[in-house]
Amino acid sequence: MNVKIIEPLGVDEALIHELMGQLKGCTYEYYAERSVDPAVLAKRAAGADAIVVANAPVTAEVLRAAPDLRLLSVAFTGLDHVDLGYCERHGIRVINCAGYSTEAVAEEAFGLMLSLYRHLPECDRRSRTGGDKGGLAFRELYGKTLGVIGNGAIAQRVMELGRAFGMGLLCFARTQRPLDGVTYVGLDELCVASDVLSVHVPSVPETFHMVGAEQIALMRPSAILINTARGAVVDNDALAAALEEGRIAGAGLDVLDTEPPFDPNLPILRVPNTVIAPHIGFATQEALDARARMAIDHVREFVG
């Protein structure tokens, strides 16, 4: 089986060679330089029986370059960057790496919460420029209500951490499952009742702008919004307007409508009381190592 790893996986290259060296009956190529150019990715994919990719766009152009392709091992949780229709029509098995970044993303969600509640970016700036805490109002997570959209593995871990911080727990999910200490409510009620609203659902047509202008309008003026899921789940222009007008207190965002580098003219980048990261929630070294092992294990299991 000819395996092509068509983009870097964020780990020491020696680990890739170690893992691939354990696969019997396989040849492989590893591309250590990232590209999102479909023509470049198609050239890399040419002749593959199995492809390993992270979040580079796997378009029909890329897939057509490998007419014998049988397996697409996606070293990522989401699959919105893959032409799944093409894969289904051509009998290509697609496997993702669900669960590799559960701890990483959940921890980042709380990092964003704490950064907003304690004004950490502003405190850092002031500390370096001779300033002090004057005029800043700090808050505690303890005793606040954490509202979570979704109840998958990351959402559940976020709620566990919220419980450890002494927060009350509300959840909106289309499929409800019993969770200790969690009360399920409708989406509108969740927006009204939450001090911290944290988003943890995939980007699918049903979740597009799930948190839109109407939902943001229901939030308390003191509430903050956290999105470590997918940018399209939140209407970022509506969120920017609410922040500009002071209708909510802040937003911590790991994802926007596009992948970084972000267009500096995006409205959400020009409003106050935001902490924005360039999609790093998944990117701890521990998570990336686990992801690489999982993605290559999927190839091993497929080969049999």
Short mmCIF file of all heavy atoms in Angstrom, two decimals, residues 162-227:
data_model
loop_
_atom_site.label_atom_id
_atom_site.label_comp_id
_atom_site.label_asym_id
_atom_site.label_seq_id
_atom_site.Cartn_x
_atom_site.Cartn_y
_atom_site.Cartn_z
N GLY A 162 -16.05 23.00 34.64
CA GLY A 162 -16.93 24.01 35.23
C GLY A 162 -17.39 23.62 36.61
O GLY A 162 -17.44 24.45 37.53
N ARG A 163 -17.71 22.34 36.79
CA ARG A 163 -18.11 21.85 38.11
C ARG A 163 -16.97 22.03 39.11
O ARG A 163 -17.19 22.43 40.26
CB ARG A 163 -18.53 20.39 38.02
CG ARG A 163 -19.11 19.82 39.31
CD ARG A 163 -19.50 18.36 39.18
NE ARG A 163 -20.49 18.16 38.12
CZ ARG A 163 -20.25 17.55 36.96
NH1 ARG A 163 -19.04 17.08 36.70
NH2 ARG A 163 -21.21 17.41 36.08
N ALA A 164 -15.74 21.76 38.68
CA ALA A 164 -14.58 21.91 39.55
C ALA A 164 -14.38 23.38 39.95
O ALA A 164 -13.89 23.67 41.05
CB ALA A 164 -13.33 21.38 38.87
N PHE A 165 -14.76 24.30 39.08
CA PHE A 165 -14.66 25.73 39.39
C PHE A 165 -15.84 26.22 40.24
O PHE A 165 -15.90 27.38 40.60
CB PHE A 165 -14.60 26.55 38.10
CG PHE A 165 -13.21 26.75 37.57
CD1 PHE A 165 -12.67 25.87 36.63
CD2 PHE A 165 -12.43 27.82 37.99
CE1 PHE A 165 -11.40 26.06 36.12
CE2 PHE A 165 -11.16 28.02 37.48
CZ PHE A 165 -10.63 27.13 36.56
N GLY A 166 -16.79 25.34 40.52
CA GLY A 166 -17.95 25.73 41.31
C GLY A 166 -19.02 26.46 40.52
O GLY A 166 -19.77 27.26 41.07
N MET A 167 -19.12 26.15 39.24
CA MET A 167 -20.11 26.79 38.38
C MET A 167 -21.37 25.94 38.27
O MET A 167 -21.30 24.70 38.33
CB MET A 167 -19.54 27.02 36.98
CG MET A 167 -18.24 27.81 36.96
SD MET A 167 -17.58 28.05 35.28
CE MET A 167 -18.62 29.40 34.69
N GLY A 168 -22.51 26.59 38.11
CA GLY A 168 -23.73 25.89 37.78
C GLY A 168 -23.71 25.51 36.31
O GLY A 168 -23.13 26.22 35.49
N LEU A 169 -24.36 24.39 35.95
CA LEU A 169 -24.22 23.85 34.60
C LEU A 169 -25.57 23.73 33.89
O LEU A 169 -26.48 23.06 34.37
CB LEU A 169 -23.57 22.46 34.65
CG LEU A 169 -22.20 22.39 35.32
CD1 LEU A 169 -21.72 20.95 35.39
CD2 LEU A 169 -21.18 23.26 34.59
N LEU A 170 -25.68 24.40 32.74
CA LEU A 170 -26.82 24.27 31.85
C LEU A 170 -26.31 23.79 30.49
O LEU A 170 -25.17 24.07 30.12
CB LEU A 170 -27.55 25.60 31.68
CG LEU A 170 -28.14 26.25 32.92
CD1 LEU A 170 -28.75 27.60 32.56
CD2 LEU A 170 -29.19 25.34 33.55
N CYS A 171 -27.16 23.10 29.75
CA CYS A 171 -26.74 22.58 28.46
C CYS A 171 -27.90 22.58 27.48
O CYS A 171 -29.04 22.28 27.85
CB CYS A 171 -26.20 21.15 28.62
SG CYS A 171 -25.63 20.39 27.08
N PHE A 172 -27.59 22.91 26.24
CA PHE A 172 -28.52 22.71 25.13
C PHE A 172 -27.90 21.71 24.18
O PHE A 172 -26.76 21.88 23.73
CB PHE A 172 -28.81 24.00 24.38
CG PHE A 172 -29.52 23.76 23.06
CD1 PHE A 172 -30.87 23.45 23.05
CD2 PHE A 172 -28.83 23.80 21.86
CE1 PHE A 172 -31.52 23.20 21.84
CE2 PHE A 172 -29.46 23.56 20.66
CZ PHE A 172 -30.82 23.26 20.65
N ALA A 173 -28.63 20.65 23.85
CA ALA A 173 -28.17 19.65 22.89
C ALA A 173 -29.38 19.03 22.24
O ALA A 173 -30.42 18.84 22.89
CB ALA A 173 -27.31 18.59 23.57
N ARG A 174 -29.26 18.69 20.97
CA ARG A 174 -30.39 18.10 20.26
C ARG A 174 -30.70 16.71 20.79
O ARG A 174 -31.86 16.30 20.84
CB ARG A 174 -30.07 18.04 18.76
CG ARG A 174 -29.85 19.43 18.15
CD ARG A 174 -29.73 19.36 16.65
NE ARG A 174 -29.33 20.64 16.07
CZ ARG A 174 -30.14 21.67 15.88
NH1 ARG A 174 -31.42 21.58 16.24
NH2 ARG A 174 -29.70 22.79 15.35
N THR A 175 -29.68 15.96 21.18
CA THR A 175 -29.87 14.65 21.80
C THR A 175 -29.40 14.73 23.24
O THR A 175 -28.21 14.98 23.49
CB THR A 175 -29.07 13.56 21.05
OG1 THR A 175 -29.49 13.52 19.69
CG2 THR A 175 -29.31 12.20 21.69
N GLN A 176 -30.29 14.58 24.16
CA GLN A 176 -29.96 14.72 25.57
C GLN A 176 -29.50 13.38 26.15
O GLN A 176 -30.12 12.35 25.90
CB GLN A 176 -31.16 15.26 26.35
CG GLN A 176 -31.60 16.63 25.89
CD GLN A 176 -32.76 17.18 26.70
OE1 GLN A 176 -33.17 16.60 27.71
NE2 GLN A 176 -33.28 18.32 26.29
N ARG A 177 -28.42 13.43 26.90
CA ARG A 177 -27.95 12.24 27.61
C ARG A 177 -27.75 12.63 29.07
O ARG A 177 -27.33 13.76 29.36
CB ARG A 177 -26.66 11.72 26.99
CG ARG A 177 -25.49 12.68 27.09
CD ARG A 177 -24.29 12.19 26.27
NE ARG A 177 -24.49 12.45 24.86
CZ ARG A 177 -23.59 12.16 23.93
NH1 ARG A 177 -22.45 11.59 24.26
NH2 ARG A 177 -23.83 12.42 22.65
N PRO A 178 -28.04 11.73 29.99
CA PRO A 178 -27.92 12.08 31.41
C PRO A 178 -26.47 12.44 31.77
O PRO A 178 -25.55 11.68 31.50
CB PRO A 178 -28.36 10.80 32.13
CG PRO A 178 -29.13 10.02 31.12
CD PRO A 178 -28.52 10.35 29.79
N LEU A 179 -26.30 13.60 32.36
CA LEU A 179 -24.98 14.05 32.82
C LEU A 179 -25.12 14.60 34.23
O LEU A 179 -26.02 15.40 34.51
CB LEU A 179 -24.42 15.13 31.89
CG LEU A 179 -24.14 14.71 30.44
CD1 LEU A 179 -23.77 15.93 29.59
CD2 LEU A 179 -23.03 13.67 30.39
N ASP A 180 -24.25 14.18 35.11
CA ASP A 180 -24.33 14.53 36.52
C ASP A 180 -24.28 16.04 36.71
O ASP A 180 -23.36 16.71 36.25
CB ASP A 180 -23.18 13.87 37.27
CG ASP A 180 -23.27 14.09 38.77
OD1 ASP A 180 -24.39 14.10 39.30
OD2 ASP A 180 -22.21 14.26 39.40
N GLY A 181 -25.30 16.58 37.37
CA GLY A 181 -25.33 17.99 37.72
C GLY A 181 -25.66 18.93 36.60
O GLY A 181 -25.57 20.15 36.77
N VAL A 182 -26.05 18.39 35.45
CA VAL A 182 -26.33 19.22 34.27
C VAL A 182 -27.83 19.30 34.03
O VAL A 182 -28.52 18.28 34.01
CB VAL A 182 -25.64 18.65 33.02
CG1 VAL A 182 -26.00 19.46 31.78
CG2 VAL A 182 -24.13 18.61 33.22
N THR A 183 -28.34 20.50 33.83
CA THR A 183 -29.75 20.71 33.51
C THR A 183 -29.87 21.10 32.04
O THR A 183 -29.20 22.03 31.58
CB THR A 183 -30.35 21.83 34.38
OG1 THR A 183 -30.24 21.46 35.77
CG2 THR A 183 -31.81 22.06 34.04
N TYR A 184 -30.71 20.37 31.31
CA TYR A 184 -30.94 20.68 29.90
C TYR A 184 -32.03 21.74 29.77
O TYR A 184 -33.07 21.67 30.44
CB TYR A 184 -31.34 19.43 29.13
CG TYR A 184 -30.18 18.51 28.85
CD1 TYR A 184 -29.92 17.41 29.66
CD2 TYR A 184 -29.33 18.74 27.76
CE1 TYR A 184 -28.85 16.57 29.40
CE2 TYR A 184 -28.26 17.90 27.50
CZ TYR A 184 -28.03 16.82 28.33
OH TYR A 184 -26.96 15.99 28.06
N VAL A 185 -31.78 22.69 28.88
CA VAL A 185 -32.75 23.76 28.61
C VAL A 185 -32.75 24.01 27.10
O VAL A 185 -31.89 23.53 26.37
CB VAL A 185 -32.40 25.06 29.37
CG1 VAL A 185 -32.49 24.86 30.88
CG2 VAL A 185 -31.01 25.56 28.97
N GLY A 186 -33.71 24.80 26.64
CA GLY A 186 -33.73 25.21 25.24
C GLY A 186 -32.63 26.22 24.96
O GLY A 186 -32.06 26.83 25.88
N LEU A 187 -32.35 26.44 23.68
CA LEU A 187 -31.26 27.33 23.31
C LEU A 187 -31.52 28.76 23.77
O LEU A 187 -30.62 29.42 24.31
CB LEU A 187 -31.05 27.30 21.80
CG LEU A 187 -29.92 28.19 21.25
CD1 LEU A 187 -28.59 27.85 21.90
CD2 LEU A 187 -29.83 28.06 19.73
N ASP A 188 -32.74 29.25 23.60
CA ASP A 188 -33.03 30.62 24.03
C ASP A 188 -32.86 30.76 25.53
O ASP A 188 -32.26 31.75 26.00
CB ASP A 188 -34.45 31.01 23.62
CG ASP A 188 -34.57 31.29 22.13
OD1 ASP A 188 -33.55 31.24 21.42
OD2 ASP A 188 -35.70 31.54 21.66
N GLU A 189 -33.37 29.80 26.30
CA GLU A 189 -33.22 29.87 27.76
C GLU A 189 -31.75 29.81 28.16
O GLU A 189 -31.32 30.49 29.10
CB GLU A 189 -33.99 28.73 28.42
CG GLU A 189 -33.96 28.80 29.95
CD GLU A 189 -34.77 27.71 30.62
OE1 GLU A 189 -35.54 27.02 29.92
OE2 GLU A 189 -34.63 27.54 31.85
N LEU A 190 -30.97 29.00 27.45
CA LEU A 190 -29.54 28.92 27.73
C LEU A 190 -28.88 30.28 27.55
O LEU A 190 -28.06 30.70 28.39
CB LEU A 190 -28.89 27.90 26.80
CG LEU A 190 -27.44 27.53 27.10
CD1 LEU A 190 -27.39 26.55 28.26
CD2 LEU A 190 -26.76 26.93 25.88
N CYS A 191 -29.23 30.97 26.47
CA CYS A 191 -28.63 32.28 26.21
C CYS A 191 -29.02 33.29 27.29
O CYS A 191 -28.20 34.12 27.71
CB CYS A 191 -29.06 32.78 24.83
SG CYS A 191 -28.42 31.79 23.46
N VAL A 192 -30.26 33.22 27.73
CA VAL A 192 -30.74 34.15 28.75
C VAL A 192 -30.07 33.90 30.10
O VAL A 192 -29.70 34.84 30.82
CB VAL A 192 -32.27 34.05 28.89
CG1 VAL A 192 -32.77 34.81 30.11
CG2 VAL A 192 -32.96 34.56 27.63
N ALA A 193 -29.88 32.64 30.46
CA ALA A 193 -29.50 32.27 31.82
C ALA A 193 -28.00 32.17 32.05
O ALA A 193 -27.56 32.13 33.21
CB ALA A 193 -30.16 30.94 32.20
N SER A 194 -27.20 32.13 31.01
CA SER A 194 -25.78 31.84 31.16
C SER A 194 -24.95 33.09 31.42
O SER A 194 -25.12 34.11 30.75
CB SER A 194 -25.25 31.14 29.91
OG SER A 194 -25.89 29.91 29.70
N ASP A 195 -24.03 32.98 32.38
CA ASP A 195 -23.00 34.00 32.55
C ASP A 195 -21.88 33.79 31.54
O ASP A 195 -21.28 34.74 31.04
CB ASP A 195 -22.42 33.95 33.96
CG ASP A 195 -23.45 34.28 35.02
OD1 ASP A 195 -23.99 35.41 35.01
OD2 ASP A 195 -23.76 33.39 35.85
N VAL A 196 -21.59 32.52 31.28
CA VAL A 196 -20.59 32.13 30.29
C VAL A 196 -21.27 31.16 29.33
O VAL A 196 -21.78 30.12 29.75
CB VAL A 196 -19.37 31.45 30.93
CG1 VAL A 196 -18.37 31.05 29.86
CG2 VAL A 196 -18.73 32.37 31.96
N LEU A 197 -21.28 31.49 28.05
CA LEU A 197 -21.87 30.63 27.03
C LEU A 197 -20.74 30.05 26.19
O LEU A 197 -20.00 30.79 25.56
CB LEU A 197 -22.83 31.43 26.16
CG LEU A 197 -23.62 30.65 25.08
CD1 LEU A 197 -24.54 29.63 25.73
CD2 LEU A 197 -24.40 31.60 24.20
N SER A 198 -20.59 28.72 26.20
CA SER A 198 -19.47 28.07 25.54
C SER A 198 -19.97 27.12 24.45
O SER A 198 -20.85 26.29 24.70
CB SER A 198 -18.63 27.29 26.56
OG SER A 198 -17.38 26.93 26.05
N VAL A 199 -19.42 27.25 23.25
CA VAL A 199 -19.92 26.56 22.06
C VAL A 199 -19.07 25.32 21.78
O VAL A 199 -17.84 25.43 21.66
CB VAL A 199 -19.90 27.49 20.84
CG1 VAL A 199 -20.40 26.77 19.60
CG2 VAL A 199 -20.73 28.74 21.11
N HIS A 200 -19.74 24.17 21.62
CA HIS A 200 -19.02 22.91 21.38
C HIS A 200 -19.83 21.99 20.47
O HIS A 200 -20.22 20.89 20.86
CB HIS A 200 -18.70 22.22 22.71
CG HIS A 200 -17.87 23.05 23.62
ND1 HIS A 200 -16.51 23.22 23.44
CD2 HIS A 200 -18.22 23.82 24.68
CE1 HIS A 200 -16.06 24.05 24.36
NE2 HIS A 200 -17.06 24.42 25.12
N VAL A 201 -20.08 22.45 19.26
CA VAL A 201 -20.77 21.64 18.26
C VAL A 201 -20.00 21.71 16.95
O VAL A 201 -19.26 22.67 16.70
CB VAL A 201 -22.23 22.10 18.03
CG1 VAL A 201 -23.09 21.82 19.26
CG2 VAL A 201 -22.27 23.59 17.68
N PRO A 202 -20.15 20.71 16.07
CA PRO A 202 -19.44 20.73 14.78
C PRO A 202 -20.07 21.72 13.82
O PRO A 202 -21.20 22.21 14.02
CB PRO A 202 -19.60 19.30 14.29
CG PRO A 202 -20.89 18.84 14.90
CD PRO A 202 -20.95 19.48 16.25
N SER A 203 -19.34 22.01 12.76
CA SER A 203 -19.86 22.87 11.70
C SER A 203 -20.55 22.01 10.66
O SER A 203 -19.90 21.34 9.85
CB SER A 203 -18.72 23.67 11.06
OG SER A 203 -19.21 24.48 10.01
N VAL A 204 -21.85 22.01 10.70
CA VAL A 204 -22.70 21.32 9.73
C VAL A 204 -23.80 22.29 9.35
O VAL A 204 -23.99 23.32 10.02
CB VAL A 204 -23.29 20.01 10.33
CG1 VAL A 204 -22.18 19.00 10.61
CG2 VAL A 204 -24.09 20.29 11.58
N PRO A 205 -24.55 22.03 8.28
CA PRO A 205 -25.59 22.97 7.88
C PRO A 205 -26.55 23.33 9.02
O PRO A 205 -26.99 24.48 9.13
CB PRO A 205 -26.31 22.25 6.74
CG PRO A 205 -25.24 21.41 6.12
CD PRO A 205 -24.38 20.94 7.27
N GLU A 206 -26.86 22.36 9.87
CA GLU A 206 -27.83 22.61 10.95
C GLU A 206 -27.29 23.55 12.03
O GLU A 206 -28.07 24.13 12.79
CB GLU A 206 -28.24 21.28 11.60
CG GLU A 206 -29.03 20.35 10.69
CD GLU A 206 -28.16 19.65 9.66
OE1 GLU A 206 -26.92 19.59 9.85
OE2 GLU A 206 -28.73 19.17 8.65
N THR A 207 -25.95 23.68 12.12
CA THR A 207 -25.39 24.54 13.17
C THR A 207 -24.88 25.87 12.64
O THR A 207 -24.33 26.68 13.40
CB THR A 207 -24.24 23.83 13.90
OG1 THR A 207 -23.17 23.57 12.96
CG2 THR A 207 -24.71 22.53 14.53
N PHE A 208 -25.06 26.14 11.34
CA PHE A 208 -24.58 27.40 10.78
C PHE A 208 -25.26 28.58 11.48
O PHE A 208 -26.49 28.67 11.53
CB PHE A 208 -24.84 27.46 9.28
CG PHE A 208 -24.39 28.75 8.64
CD1 PHE A 208 -23.04 28.99 8.42
CD2 PHE A 208 -25.32 29.72 8.29
CE1 PHE A 208 -22.62 30.18 7.84
CE2 PHE A 208 -24.90 30.92 7.71
CZ PHE A 208 -23.54 31.15 7.48
N HIS A 209 -24.46 29.47 12.07
CA HIS A 209 -24.95 30.65 12.79
C HIS A 209 -26.00 30.24 13.84
O HIS A 209 -26.98 30.97 14.07
CB HIS A 209 -25.50 31.70 11.84
CG HIS A 209 -24.42 32.45 11.11
ND1 HIS A 209 -24.68 33.49 10.25
CD2 HIS A 209 -23.07 32.28 11.10
CE1 HIS A 209 -23.54 33.95 9.75
NE2 HIS A 209 -22.55 33.23 10.25
N MET A 210 -25.78 29.10 14.48
CA MET A 210 -26.66 28.68 15.57
C MET A 210 -26.72 29.76 16.65
O MET A 210 -27.77 30.01 17.25
CB MET A 210 -26.15 27.37 16.18
CG MET A 210 -26.91 26.91 17.40
SD MET A 210 -26.24 25.38 18.10
CE MET A 210 -27.07 24.18 17.07
N VAL A 211 -25.59 30.41 16.88
CA VAL A 211 -25.56 31.57 17.77
C VAL A 211 -25.50 32.79 16.86
O VAL A 211 -24.44 33.23 16.42
CB VAL A 211 -24.35 31.53 18.72
CG1 VAL A 211 -24.36 32.73 19.65
CG2 VAL A 211 -24.35 30.23 19.54
N GLY A 212 -26.68 33.31 16.56
CA GLY A 212 -26.80 34.46 15.67
C GLY A 212 -27.25 35.70 16.41
O GLY A 212 -27.24 35.75 17.65
N ALA A 213 -27.68 36.69 15.66
CA ALA A 213 -28.07 37.96 16.26
C ALA A 213 -29.18 37.79 17.29
O ALA A 213 -29.16 38.43 18.36
CB ALA A 213 -28.51 38.93 15.16
N GLU A 214 -30.17 36.92 17.00
CA GLU A 214 -31.28 36.73 17.94
C GLU A 214 -30.80 36.13 19.25
O GLU A 214 -31.25 36.55 20.34
CB GLU A 214 -32.34 35.83 17.32
CG GLU A 214 -33.07 36.45 16.13
CD GLU A 214 -34.14 35.53 15.57
OE1 GLU A 214 -34.46 34.52 16.24
OE2 GLU A 214 -34.66 35.83 14.49
N GLN A 215 -29.92 35.15 19.17
CA GLN A 215 -29.43 34.50 20.39
C GLN A 215 -28.54 35.45 21.19
O GLN A 215 -28.65 35.53 22.42
CB GLN A 215 -28.67 33.21 20.05
CG GLN A 215 -29.55 32.08 19.55
CD GLN A 215 -30.06 32.32 18.14
OE1 GLN A 215 -29.36 32.90 17.30
NE2 GLN A 215 -31.30 31.91 17.88
N ILE A 216 -27.68 36.18 20.49
CA ILE A 216 -26.79 37.12 21.19
C ILE A 216 -27.59 38.21 21.88
O ILE A 216 -27.25 38.65 22.98
CB ILE A 216 -25.77 37.70 20.18
CG1 ILE A 216 -24.83 36.59 19.69
CG2 ILE A 216 -24.97 38.83 20.81
CD1 ILE A 216 -23.98 36.97 18.49
N ALA A 217 -28.70 38.62 21.26
CA ALA A 217 -29.55 39.65 21.86
C ALA A 217 -30.18 39.19 23.16
O ALA A 217 -30.57 40.02 24.00
CB ALA A 217 -30.64 40.05 20.87
N LEU A 218 -30.29 37.88 23.36
CA LEU A 218 -30.86 37.35 24.60
C LEU A 218 -29.86 37.30 25.74
O LEU A 218 -30.26 37.15 26.90
CB LEU A 218 -31.40 35.93 24.35
CG LEU A 218 -32.56 35.79 23.37
CD1 LEU A 218 -32.85 34.31 23.10
CD2 LEU A 218 -33.81 36.49 23.91
N MET A 219 -28.59 37.41 25.44
CA MET A 219 -27.56 37.26 26.47
C MET A 219 -27.53 38.46 27.41
O MET A 219 -27.89 39.58 27.03
CB MET A 219 -26.20 37.06 25.81
CG MET A 219 -26.08 35.75 25.02
SD MET A 219 -24.52 35.60 24.11
CE MET A 219 -23.35 35.49 25.48
N ARG A 220 -27.09 38.20 28.62
CA ARG A 220 -26.98 39.27 29.62
C ARG A 220 -25.88 40.26 29.24
O ARG A 220 -24.87 39.86 28.64
CB ARG A 220 -26.65 38.66 30.98
CG ARG A 220 -27.63 37.64 31.48
CD ARG A 220 -27.12 36.98 32.75
NE ARG A 220 -28.07 35.99 33.27
CZ ARG A 220 -27.87 35.29 34.38
NH1 ARG A 220 -26.75 35.44 35.07
NH2 ARG A 220 -28.78 34.42 34.79
N PRO A 221 -26.00 41.51 29.63
CA PRO A 221 -24.91 42.47 29.38
C PRO A 221 -23.60 42.06 30.04
O PRO A 221 -22.53 42.44 29.57
CB PRO A 221 -25.45 43.77 29.98
CG PRO A 221 -26.94 43.62 29.95
CD PRO A 221 -27.20 42.16 30.20
N SER A 222 -23.68 41.28 31.11
CA SER A 222 -22.48 40.83 31.82
C SER A 222 -21.93 39.51 31.29
O SER A 222 -20.90 39.03 31.77
CB SER A 222 -22.79 40.67 33.31
OG SER A 222 -23.84 39.71 33.50
N ALA A 223 -22.60 38.90 30.31
CA ALA A 223 -22.22 37.57 29.84
C ALA A 223 -21.06 37.62 28.86
O ALA A 223 -20.83 38.62 28.18
CB ALA A 223 -23.42 36.90 29.18
N ILE A 224 -20.34 36.50 28.80
CA ILE A 224 -19.28 36.35 27.80
C ILE A 224 -19.55 35.11 26.96
O ILE A 224 -20.20 34.16 27.41
CB ILE A 224 -17.88 36.25 28.43
CG1 ILE A 224 -17.75 35.02 29.34
CG2 ILE A 224 -17.55 37.54 29.19
CD1 ILE A 224 -16.33 34.78 29.85
N LEU A 225 -19.06 35.13 25.72
CA LEU A 225 -19.23 34.03 24.78
C LEU A 225 -17.87 33.42 24.47
O LEU A 225 -16.91 34.15 24.18
CB LEU A 225 -19.88 34.53 23.49
CG LEU A 225 -20.00 33.53 22.34
CD1 LEU A 225 -20.96 32.41 22.69
CD2 LEU A 225 -20.46 34.24 21.06
N ILE A 226 -17.79 32.10 24.53
CA ILE A 226 -16.57 31.37 24.23
C ILE A 226 -16.84 30.45 23.05
O ILE A 226 -17.80 29.67 23.07
CB ILE A 226 -16.10 30.53 25.43
CG1 ILE A 226 -15.97 31.38 26.69
CG2 ILE A 226 -14.80 29.80 25.10
CD1 ILE A 226 -14.89 32.45 26.62
N ASN A 227 -15.99 30.52 22.02
CA ASN A 227 -16.13 29.60 20.88
C ASN A 227 -14.79 28.94 20.58
O ASN A 227 -13.88 29.57 20.05
CB ASN A 227 -16.65 30.33 19.64
CG ASN A 227 -16.94 29.35 18.49
OD1 ASN A 227 -16.90 28.14 18.66
ND2 ASN A 227 -17.26 29.89 17.33
#
